[in-house]
Amino acid sequence: MAKELKELTPREENYSQWYNDLVVKADLAESSAVRGCMVIKPYGYAIWEKIQRKLDDMFKETGHVNAYFPLFIPKSFLSKEADHVEGFAKECAVVTHYRLKTNPDGTGVVVDPDARLEEELIVRPTSETIIWNTYKGWIQSYRDLPILCNQWANVVRWEMRTRLFLRTAEFLWQEGHTAHATEAEAMEEARRMLDVYATFAEEFMAVPVVKGVKSANERFAGAVETFCIEAMMQDGKALQAGTSHFLGQNFAKAFDVQFVNKDNKLEYVWATSWGVSTRLMGALIMAHSDNNGLVLPPKVAPIQVVIVPIYKNAEQLDAISGKVAPIVDELKRLGISVKYDNADNKKPGWKFSEYELKGVPVRLAMGGRDLENGTVEVMRRDTLEKETRPMEGIVEYVQTLLDEIQQNIFRKAVAFRDSVTRDVPDYETFKSEIEKGGFLRCYWDGSPEDEDRIKEETKATIRCILLREAETEGKCMLTGRSTKRLVLFARSY
Amino acid sequence: MAKELKELTPREENYSQWYNDLVVKADLAESSAVRGCMVIKPYGYAIWEKIQRKLDDMFKETGHVNAYFPLFIPKSFLSKEADHVEGFAKECAVVTHYRLKTNPDGTGVVVDPDARLEEELIVRPTSETIIWNTYKGWIQSYRDLPILCNQWANVVRWEMRTRLFLRTAEFLWQEGHTAHATEAEAMEEARRMLDVYATFAEEFMAVPVVKGVKSANERFAGAVETFCIEAMMQDGKALQAGTSHFLGQNFAKAFDVQFVNKDNKLEYVWATSWGVSTRLMGALIMAHSDNNGLVLPPKVAPIQVVIVPIYKNAEQLDAISGKVAPIVDELKRLGISVKYDNADNKKPGWKFSEYELKGVPVRLAMGGRDLENGTVEVMRRDTLEKETRPMEGIVEYVQTLLDEIQQNIFRKAVAFRDSVTRDVPDYETFKSEIEKGGFLRCYWDGSPEDEDRIKEETKATIRCILLREAETEGKCMLTGRSTKRLVLFARSY
């Protein structure tokens, strides 16, 4: 019974259902009573906390500070930047009233028509407008610059089709908003944060990413240039894992934020914004997991090592617990999170599949024979390999193994990504290759309209223009014109 | 000029204006373009982060985990618990639409009348309803209990009169929501979290608090019993700094959350909820600060030590910097946050008043004479005392001094609180004493209506019923009836 409850739809059978099963059964998240909004369950939130803590440290190391800006944005603010309103004003939660009252018929509550707001408030879909309206009061001179703020917050975008973590009406994220005295400094900041995101994704989440620039079609509404990191999921679809925008002077102009520069002249401020969200959880799950459940890189795992005793009676459990106690202490001393699961209302087999489902990187099991032999069984989640090791030196072995697992998960993801990345010379080949998924790398000199047509015909989009151009020219896969520009196409989440 | 900008309205002249000046000028927070919503500025947020981190650690040490529940609550949920709807449904932000569209006349955007929600959504004023609706799916058996979740979140209560940190439409908080198999266990949890809050307030924020129980009039809407910690501000008004509610089975019944107990019988689940908010920032500021600005207990100070060089030329600055560098390193090694402010566009006097304003607990200053003598000037913010100390051993001295400052700030606050806490035997005395502020301790056996009348006549309310009754009976200050129940009255924030 318990075993069956944990079974996932196999990936090969229905990838999308496998994903949903996994998110729910591994206790990561679930849908809520509010359409499109999710509940992030404690185990899922513990992973998000690890992501947050590490990113926050990286932001602070690069000179940023946290602040908090209002949840609500006056409707008129959204219209101040012409492109921005097109991108964000459409699907959003609108607050129109500030009071309920008891229903005259005595049943429940109704909106009080007398409590209508003069100007409607939008629940922030992103905060450029309210933040630049605030920065206006903070910036007079070049001495007030740069401003390097980040905010951890919830945002709402009224998505019609939602999927847990990947696309939800409300999601959690961080949004950095920086203000600079020069264009070069702002551009450098946008690139720096792209690098921070890439390093974080690869070294912490073990998710390899391609760094690039968005084409005009996919650019953030209000940005001059959008940099992004793109990851490849196991079903061959790409996932945008983070973006960093060079906003030029667009928002400074929209909110009239000028400063006196060193030459004593008034100038508009230069801006960036950059963000990653709980979507990263989706990337983490889909990049590594298998039909047994989650596969977590040790650095993001809330529990890195679980120890399960296998015993016939209370005395044997006591003997095992006695052997395990110093291992637990030593692992903790090394900063490794460890759980000794001696709960007696569940069988070892149930526990094994539970911790596999939850992606705990290393499992140690100890039974009667291990007691006699001074051994312990070690299982690594990434390969599911088991081996029996001597108790002696087990802590050092586990520590090394965790590093090896972190690296192996990354290597595996890189190998997969590389195996599904192909060069495509022309549109005919493109159309057949795109059916197999993966990244298609092409020379590209087409127009935004060409991109739209390809999207319509193949459901694929330019995920990014590669930061480094080709050394020699090649022919655009669609137009045949010569260009050095290389792009990656893919179908995407 | 710069000096004047930092000057605060003296507390004696206008306490309320002093508070507002301080919050804004010390860069803690400011009002935003959205009525009643504040911007928490980086320096203020850094203090909040320290509060968050410490509380989060204390919650985890007591077995709690974090999770995240939706921002929105379906309107009908609020009506399910009869008292709750009375308390919370009245002043809240109501989302009625999910889309904007371009104004037909081409100017900006308007609410799309076709995008009306079937059921309005309320921006959470507190999350009992959405959480208990979720817990219904998590709880079947006593084996699923207890659930010990906390959430860090923003909430919105449409307050008409707002003050930075103390009462804002949107504020940040944590809300713990726990589910238990027995009444005793839930009551124990509610009391445990009250103790956690009290310990945190006293040991971390250096704010002494009285633990007590709310009278029925002041109870949380939906609670059976509300425990609270009450602090005394320097103007003689009380501030409720945290609450912990024993909710009985009220929300379990409202959302039909039952479990199979050990006797295999269906029973409603027992609940608690508990929270503290950015209001704590207001308590922190008003409990300790003075006419020169913030006074921060070292444990919450983002910068614990600032070092200011006083120099005539570049060589002297170099010489000072050379002496300061190892001090900075050693302080950091001890986990003490230190800033060496060698910015050359501001004078030492300007820096001195800036760091006083911002409440940095210890200031070290080093000038030419100190270089010659091997000394350093030490200023402690709590008493503003200065002394010249030998460089030798300065790091150890500062470390000890920080502890002493933390304790002194607490002792001072306790002494003040005790000095304004008086026993009051009858209502005549009460009415004259309440004008002087502070806590009035009385025997109390009055009714909710009596409380209302006292509030109307004196603006004072029962802040709490003391947890420990008097050993001998006394006469209720209003009714003259004998009782052992002691209460604290005060005017409050």
Side-chain angles (χ1 to χ4, degrees):
Chain A
M1 175 68 182
K3 176 92 185 168
E4 281 163 36
L5 275 178
K6 291 182 200 168
E7 264 172 24
L8 309 173
T9 304
R11 277 181 295 182
E12 309 71 44
E13 196 176 293
N14 184 336
Y15 191 85
S16 172
Q17 190 59 48
W18 165 80
Y19 175 79
N20 280 340
D21 283 0
L22 179 48
V23 169
V24 172
K25 293 188 180 181
D27 279 340
L28 301 174
E30 64 184 36
S31 296
S32 79
V34 183
R35 209 192 58 80
C37 292
M38 65 181 160
V39 171
I40 306 179
K41 299 181 76 174
Y43 192 65
Y45 201 85
I47 298 172
W48 177 242
E49 280 183 293
K50 290 211 146 200
I51 290 175
Q52 275 194 304
R53 186 68 65 100
K54 179 65 183 176
L55 277 172
D56 198 69
D57 287 346
M58 292 176 83
F59 297 158
K60 284 174 178 157
E61 279 161 22
T62 45
H64 302 87
V65 290
N66 288 326
Y68 188 76
F69 299 88
L71 172 66
F72 299 125
I73 297 178
K75 190 188 66 178
S76 59
F77 279 27
L78 286 183
S79 319
K80 293 203 178 184
E81 210 288 328
D83 290 330
H84 195 66
V85 70
E86 285 303 310
F88 285 103
K90 294 311 159 59
E91 311 296 331
C92 52
V94 187
V95 177
T96 56
H97 292 74
Y98 59 83
R99 192 163 57 223
L100 298 174
K101 62 172 190 176
T102 306
N103 198 336
D105 73 4
T107 61
V109 283
V110 292
V111 176
D112 184 343
D114 294 338
R116 195 180 169 88
L117 289 169
E118 275 185 49
E119 179 180 5
E120 294 88 352
L121 296 172
I122 311 307
V123 179
R124 63 183 163 215
T126 182
S127 301
E128 277 77 6
T129 56
I130 188 83
I131 287 179
W132 277 87
N133 184 69
T134 306
Y135 281 179
K136 186 175 166 60
W138 295 6
I139 301 170
Q140 278 85 42
S141 135
Y142 69 92
R143 287 189 198 86
D144 301 319
L145 297 171
I147 292 175
L148 303 172
C149 280
N150 175 64
Q151 129 167 312
W152 290 95
N154 52 346
V155 286
V156 172
R157 298 176 187 176
W158 209 267
E159 304 283 353
M160 281 298 140
R161 282 182 306 178
T162 60
R163 297 191 64 189
L164 294 167
F165 290 124
L166 295 172
R167 178 170 282 112
T168 48
E170 181 192 17
F171 56 92
L172 303 183
W173 80 343
Q174 60 68 216
E175 46 182 326
H177 294 272
T178 69
H180 305 267
T182 67
E183 178 174 12
E185 195 187 297
M187 185 58 93
E188 191 188 337
E189 166 78 4
R191 296 290 292 264
R192 178 185 301 116
M193 299 322 289
L194 183 74
D195 289 342
V196 165
Y197 286 154
T199 302
F200 170 79
E202 301 202 330
E203 294 181 4
F204 199 73
M205 301 211 317
V207 174
V209 292
V210 177
K211 292 190 273 189
V213 187
K214 285 293 182 192
S215 65
N217 285 20
E218 302 281 325
R219 198 179 283 150
F220 176 76
V224 173
E225 203 79 274
T226 288
F227 299 96
C228 63
I229 51 171
E230 294 285 327
M232 178 49 59
M233 303 294 100
Q234 294 178 82
D235 62 346
K237 285 166 83 173
L239 186 145
Q240 176 182 300
T243 49
S244 180
H245 314 293
F246 169 67
L247 302 172
Q249 296 172 310
N250 291 351
F251 286 92
K253 284 178 179 165
F255 289 90
D256 191 31
V257 189
Q258 298 188 71
F259 71 104
V260 178
N261 67 20
K262 287 190 177 173
D263 303 326
N264 214 28
K265 287 189 179 133
L266 269 180
E267 190 179 344
Y268 286 107
V269 179
W270 299 85
T272 82
S273 67
W274 29 274
V276 297
S277 73
T278 34
R279 198 158 210 245
L280 284 178
M281 296 284 295
L284 181 70
I285 296 161
M286 288 203 294
H288 307 311
S289 303
D290 61 25
N291 286 340
N292 294 330
L294 266 183
V295 174
L296 289 177
K299 288 185 184 173
V300 298
I303 304 167
Q304 295 172 310
V305 178
V306 66
I307 307 179
V308 177
I310 303 168
Y311 54 94
K312 296 202 180 93
N313 50 47
E315 286 126 56
Q316 208 173 43
L317 175 59
D318 282 350
I320 293 170
S321 298
K323 293 282 185 193
V324 165
I327 299 178
V328 169
D329 289 346
E330 276 189 73
L331 287 171
K332 282 188 181 162
R333 201 173 43 74
L334 293 170
I336 295 168
S337 61
V338 53
K339 176 176 174 177
Y340 176 47
D341 186 351
N342 60 351
D344 66 353
N345 55 354
K346 279 153 189 162
K347 295 222 158 79
W350 191 95
K351 293 177 185 174
F352 285 8
S353 65
E354 172 76 6
Y355 294 113
E356 275 175 42
L357 179 61
K358 293 204 162 167
V360 176
V362 171
R363 181 185 79 211
L364 304 182
M366 194 181 290
R369 189 171 300 168
D370 292 308
L371 270 184
E372 282 169 27
N373 301 340
T375 57
V376 59
E377 187 192 79
V378 182
M379 199 280 279
R380 54 186 283 184
R381 178 64 184 87
D382 59 336
T383 61
L384 297 170
E385 286 164 353
K386 277 187 275 197
E387 58 175 329
T388 298
R389 302 279 315 178
M391 282 274 287
E392 179 97 19
I394 193 66
V395 167
E396 294 71 22
Y397 181 76
V398 166
Q399 189 176 28
T400 309
L401 182 59
L402 287 169
D403 287 342
E404 159 57 19
I405 292 172
Q406 180 82 26
Q407 288 163 34
N408 183 55
I409 292 177
F410 181 62
R411 278 195 305 265
K412 206 172 145 189
V414 170
F416 173 76
R417 193 263 315 268
D418 291 350
S419 76
V420 297
T421 303
R422 290 97 72 205
D423 290 308
V424 171
D426 56 56
Y427 192 43
E428 280 313 300
T429 317
F430 183 97
K431 282 193 280 194
S432 66
E433 285 297 316
I434 199 68
E435 295 300 325
K436 302 173 203 159
F439 281 130
L440 301 188
R441 185 168 43 208
C442 329
Y443 285 95
W444 179 255
D445 189 42
S447 65
E449 293 72 29
D450 292 334
E451 276 180 71
D452 285 340
R453 181 161 66 89
I454 291 177
K455 185 173 181 182
E456 208 174 290
E457 291 176 1
T458 69
K459 293 182 196 142
T461 50
I462 295 180
R463 301 318 304 154
C464 64
I465 302 160
L466 297 182
L467 289 181
R468 183 180 293 192
E469 294 196 322
E471 304 214 335
T472 56
E473 292 201 334
K475 283 191 192 319
C476 169
M477 72 97 163
L478 190 79
T479 67
R481 285 194 293 266
S482 281
T483 179
K484 284 188 168 177
R485 184 195 288 155
L486 287 171
V487 303
L488 286 185
F489 270 95
R491 289 175 179 163
S492 71
Y493 281 95
Chain B
M1 171 71 179
K3 176 91 183 167
E4 281 164 35
L5 275 178
K6 290 182 202 167
E7 264 171 25
L8 309 174
T9 304
R11 278 180 294 183
E12 308 72 40
E13 197 175 291
N14 184 335
Y15 191 85
S16 172
Q17 190 58 47
W18 164 81
Y19 175 79
N20 280 340
D21 283 1
L22 179 49
V23 169
V24 172
K25 293 188 179 180
D27 279 338
L28 300 175
E30 64 184 36
S31 296
S32 78
V34 182
R35 210 193 57 77
C37 291
M38 66 181 160
V39 171
I40 307 180
K41 299 181 77 173
Y43 192 65
Y45 201 86
I47 298 171
W48 177 241
E49 279 182 295
K50 290 211 145 199
I51 290 174
Q52 274 194 304
R53 186 68 65 98
K54 179 65 182 175
L55 278 172
D56 199 68
D57 287 346
M58 292 176 83
F59 297 157
K60 283 174 178 156
E61 279 161 22
T62 43
H64 302 87
V65 290
N66 288 326
Y68 188 76
F69 298 88
L71 171 66
F72 299 125
I73 296 177
K75 191 188 66 180
S76 59
F77 280 26
L78 286 183
S79 319
K80 293 202 176 184
E81 212 289 326
D83 290 330
H84 196 65
V85 70
E86 285 305 309
F88 285 102
K90 294 310 159 60
E91 311 296 331
C92 53
V94 187
V95 177
T96 56
H97 291 75
Y98 58 84
R99 191 162 57 223
L100 298 174
K101 62 173 189 175
T102 306
N103 198 335
D105 72 4
T107 60
V109 283
V110 293
V111 177
D112 184 342
D114 294 338
R116 194 180 170 87
L117 289 169
E118 275 184 49
E119 179 179 5
E120 295 88 351
L121 296 172
I122 311 307
V123 180
R124 62 183 163 216
T126 181
S127 300
E128 278 76 8
T129 57
I130 187 84
I131 288 179
W132 277 88
N133 184 68
T134 305
Y135 282 178
K136 185 175 168 60
W138 296 4
I139 301 169
Q140 278 85 42
S141 138
Y142 69 92
R143 288 190 198 87
D144 301 319
L145 297 170
I147 293 176
L148 303 171
C149 280
N150 175 62
Q151 130 167 309
W152 291 95
N154 52 346
V155 285
V156 172
R157 298 177 187 176
W158 209 267
E159 303 284 354
M160 280 298 139
R161 282 183 305 179
T162 61
R163 297 192 65 188
L164 294 167
F165 290 123
L166 295 172
R167 179 171 281 112
T168 47
E170 182 192 17
F171 56 93
L172 303 184
W173 79 344
Q174 60 67 218
E175 46 182 326
H177 295 272
T178 69
H180 305 267
T182 68
E183 177 175 13
E185 194 186 297
M187 185 57 94
E188 191 189 335
E189 166 78 6
R191 296 290 292 262
R192 179 185 301 117
M193 299 322 289
L194 183 74
D195 289 342
V196 165
Y197 287 155
T199 302
F200 170 79
E202 300 201 330
E203 294 182 5
F204 199 73
M205 301 211 315
V207 173
V209 293
V210 177
K211 292 189 273 189
V213 187
K214 286 292 182 192
S215 65
N217 285 20
E218 302 280 325
R219 198 179 283 149
F220 176 77
V224 174
E225 203 78 276
T226 287
F227 299 97
C228 63
I229 52 171
E230 295 284 327
M232 179 49 61
M233 303 295 99
Q234 294 178 79
D235 62 345
K237 284 167 82 172
L239 186 144
Q240 176 182 299
T243 49
S244 180
H245 315 292
F246 169 67
L247 302 172
Q249 296 171 310
N250 290 352
F251 286 92
K253 284 178 178 164
F255 289 89
D256 191 28
V257 188
Q258 299 187 70
F259 71 105
V260 178
N261 67 19
K262 286 189 178 172
D263 303 326
N264 214 29
K265 284 186 182 138
L266 268 179
E267 191 179 343
Y268 285 108
V269 179
W270 298 85
T272 82
S273 67
W274 29 273
V276 297
S277 73
T278 35
R279 197 158 212 248
L280 283 179
M281 296 284 295
L284 182 70
I285 296 161
M286 287 202 297
H288 307 311
S289 302
D290 61 26
N291 286 340
N292 293 330
L294 267 182
V295 174
L296 288 177
K299 288 184 185 175
V300 297
I303 304 167
Q304 294 172 310
V305 178
V306 64
I307 307 179
V308 178
I310 303 168
Y311 53 94
K312 295 202 179 93
N313 51 47
E315 286 126 57
Q316 209 173 43
L317 175 60
D318 281 350
I320 294 170
S321 298
K323 293 282 184 193
V324 165
I327 299 178
V328 168
D329 289 346
E330 276 188 75
L331 287 170
K332 282 188 179 162
R333 202 173 42 75
L334 292 170
I336 294 168
S337 62
V338 53
K339 176 176 175 176
Y340 176 47
D341 187 351
N342 60 352
D344 66 353
N345 56 353
K346 277 151 189 165
K347 296 224 159 78
W350 190 95
K351 291 177 186 175
F352 285 7
S353 65
E354 171 75 7
Y355 294 112
E356 275 176 41
L357 179 61
K358 293 203 161 169
V360 175
V362 171
R363 181 185 79 211
L364 303 182
M366 193 182 290
R369 190 171 299 170
D370 292 307
L371 268 185
E372 280 169 29
N373 300 343
T375 56
V376 59
E377 187 192 79
V378 182
M379 198 279 279
R380 51 186 285 183
R381 178 64 184 89
D382 59 335
T383 61
L384 297 170
E385 287 165 353
K386 276 187 276 196
E387 57 174 332
T388 298
R389 302 278 316 176
M391 281 274 288
E392 179 97 20
I394 193 67
V395 168
E396 295 71 23
Y397 182 75
V398 166
Q399 190 177 27
T400 311
L401 182 58
L402 287 169
D403 287 341
E404 160 57 19
I405 292 171
Q406 179 82 29
Q407 287 163 35
N408 182 56
I409 292 176
F410 180 63
R411 277 195 306 266
K412 207 172 145 188
V414 171
F416 173 78
R417 192 263 316 267
D418 290 351
S419 76
V420 297
T421 302
R422 291 97 71 203
D423 289 308
V424 172
D426 55 57
Y427 192 44
E428 280 314 300
T429 318
F430 182 97
K431 281 192 282 192
S432 66
E433 284 298 315
I434 199 68
E435 295 300 325
K436 301 175 202 156
F439 281 129
L440 302 187
R441 185 169 41 208
C442 328
Y443 285 95
W444 180 255
D445 189 42
S447 65
E449 294 71 27
D450 291 334
E451 276 181 71
D452 286 339
R453 179 162 68 91
I454 290 176
K455 186 175 180 181
E456 207 176 290
E457 291 176 0
T458 68
K459 294 185 196 134
T461 49
I462 295 182
R463 302 316 305 153
C464 63
I465 302 161
L466 298 183
L467 290 182
R468 183 180 294 194
E469 294 196 319
E471 305 214 335
T472 56
E473 292 200 332
K475 284 191 190 318
C476 168
M477 73 100 164
L478 190 80
T479 66
R481 285 194 292 266
S482 281
T483 178
K484 284 188 168 178
R485 182 195 289 153
L486 287 170
V487 301
L488 288 184
F489 270 95
R491 289 175 180 164
S492 72
Y493 280 95

